Structure formats: structure tokens, C-alpha cells
Amino acid sequence: MLLLNLKTYPESTQGNAKNLLDVVNNVITENPSIKDRIIVLPAATDLFWVKQNYPNLIIAAQHVDNVAAGKSTGGIPAELILSYGIEYSLYNHSEKRVNTDTIVEDIKAIQSKGLKLIICCENSTEAKTIMQAEPFSIAYETPDLIGSGISVTTRPEAVKEFVDSVAGQKNILIGAGVTTGEDVNKSIELGAEGVLVASAFVKAEDPYQKLKELVQPWL
Ligand code: G3P
């Protein structure tokens, strides 16, 4: 599984999102066997048109709120995401942390609406709490390595501790600084099923070549 988090970089929003999405589309067309392994996460403001224009791609939201559609100004209700035909959302990313006191109830409430959540955590203690909510997927990201170009896999002990703490969970992911095909290989070697990648893809000189490199382990 490769999650391409486009965040809100100028290089990955509005018209520029199209360039990157075309790249993903091309790589998938050339390698249909990886179609179900790549999930793209556009900015919230781009979600609707992206889903409309890229029916071949699996799209996820970067965040969802545990609010009901209607009287929730500024919120991103699960109902709205689902109504676009999108089935997945990231949740509790370290750049969009949620209330730790209610996280288990919030995850359960959102998932009960039918949205599949990929929940981020920053350590194994947090991971164990999140596991109580039976998330679709759990992802470990070390905040200080995000956007650094230094892969989370340079801390194998921390990754192993996380992987051990969520034993039995499906769709275990890791992220932060993942940059090369080698980083992806190492992630899998350490027990992850996949990775989250943002800057290495969004800011790549040649996003097409970079994506081909990142998906190599699954080809
Ligand atoms: O969600 C993925 C992300 O936080 C990792 O960012 O730029 O280090 O790949 P980056």
C-alpha cells in the first residue's frame, strides 16, 4: 500500500494537483497490478473535482471531523466525503491532531457511518489506545522526520516497537521522510504493509520516475 498524501503544497493543489494525479494515472495504467495499492489524498478543497475526474484512482480525504452534516460550519463530515464516492480518510495526522481524550469514541462514530479510517499515531502507547477502536488501518509517523528526507526506517527500533504493539492489526503503515524505493523496501522488511509519502513525490523533479521507484517493491 502506498499512500500519497498531497497535503496543501502549492505543487500539489488546484491545477498542480492535476499534474501529479495524471502521473499516478499513467503509472497505474502501465502497471494495472498496483491499481489497488495506491491511495491518493488530495487537499480537502480539491476532493470533489479529483474524485469526479479520476474515477480510476482510489482517493482518500486527509482529514474528517466527527460532526454531522448540516450545522457544522467549517467541518468535514463523513457523510460529505462518502457522498463524493470516497471511502477512506486519514485521521489524527500529526499536522491535524484530534482530541486524545475522545479519540476512541470519535473513530468508532466516524467508522460507523461507513468511512474507513487510516489513523496516525506518534508512538506505541497511542497506537494501543487507537487499537481499541478497531480502525481500518493504523499508521506510525515520527513528527520530527516529516518532510525531512530522512526516512522513519532510520529508526528501526521505534518502527519495530510500533509494529509489535499493533500485532494482528491489518493495513499497518509507516511514514515520515520516506524518499526512495529502498526506504519502501526497508519499511516492508520491518513489518509494515505500506508507507505514507508526501514531499518526496510532491516535490520530486520528476514525479513520474519517483513514483515508479516508490512502487517497485509491489511490481
Ligand atoms: O502523511 C505523510 C507524511 O506526513 C509524510 O510526509 O513529506 O515526510 O513524506 P513526508
Side-chain angles (χ1 to χ4, degrees), residues 26 35 43 46 77 80 96 98 107 109 133 148 182 195-197 199 213:
N26 290 341
K35 185 178 181 297
D46 289 328
L80 208 57
K96 192 73 182 164
V98 301
I107 294 168
S148 69
E182 197 35 55
V195 292
L196 293 109
V197 176
S199 48
E213 177 187 344

Side-chain angles (χ1 to χ4, degrees), residues 42-194:
T45 42
D46 289 328
L47 268 185
F48 183 70
W49 72 262
V50 168
K51 181 62 189 169
Q52 295 282 305
N53 287 281
Y54 293 89
N56 272 347
L57 303 185
I58 303 177
I59 305 296
Q62 295 176 12
H63 178 70
V64 54
D65 293 302
N66 183 20
V67 293
K71 282 179 17 177
S72 51
T73 302
I76 309 177
E79 293 90 331
L80 208 57
I81 296 171
L82 288 161
S83 74
Y84 295 174
I86 295 170
E87 292 174 45
Y88 304 91
S89 179
L90 202 59
Y91 193 64
N92 196 40
H93 190 279
S94 60
E95 292 154 8
K96 192 73 182 164
R97 296 277 284 172
V98 301
N99 184 342
T100 39
D101 293 339
T102 59
I103 191 166
V104 173
E105 290 72 30
D106 289 336
I107 294 168
K108 284 183 181 167
I110 296 167
Q111 290 201 144
S112 72
K113 294 178 181 177
L115 200 63
K116 295 176 189 136
L117 295 182
I118 301 132
I119 318 287
C120 295
C121 67
E122 296 180 353
N123 54 56
S124 51
T125 311
E126 203 185 338
K128 282 182 194 150
T129 305
I130 290 166
M131 288 286 279
Q132 294 169 34
E134 300 180 14
F136 166 76
S137 164
I138 191 157
Y140 169 65
E141 291 201 339
T142 40
D144 61 314
L145 294 182
I146 290 176
S148 69
I150 301 167
S151 172
V152 61
T153 53
T154 57
R155 299 190 185 154
E157 292 311 320
V159 172
K160 275 192 215 143
E161 189 187 326
F162 160 68
V163 169
D164 289 348
S165 73
V166 295
Q169 167 72 39
K170 285 202 178 114
N171 308 314
I172 298 172
L173 308 174
I174 60 172
V178 174
T179 304
T180 65
E182 197 35 55
D183 295 340
V184 180
N185 275 324
K186 186 81 188 152
S187 303
I188 295 168
E189 219 176 276
L190 289 170
E193 209 170 299

Side-chain angles (χ1 to χ4, degrees), residues 5-9 12-13 41-43 62 93 95 141 146-147 198:
N5 184 355
L6 302 187
K7 302 197 175 182
T8 57
Y9 290 105
S12 61
T13 47
L41 295 81
Q62 295 176 12
H93 190 279
E95 292 154 8
E141 291 201 339
I146 290 176

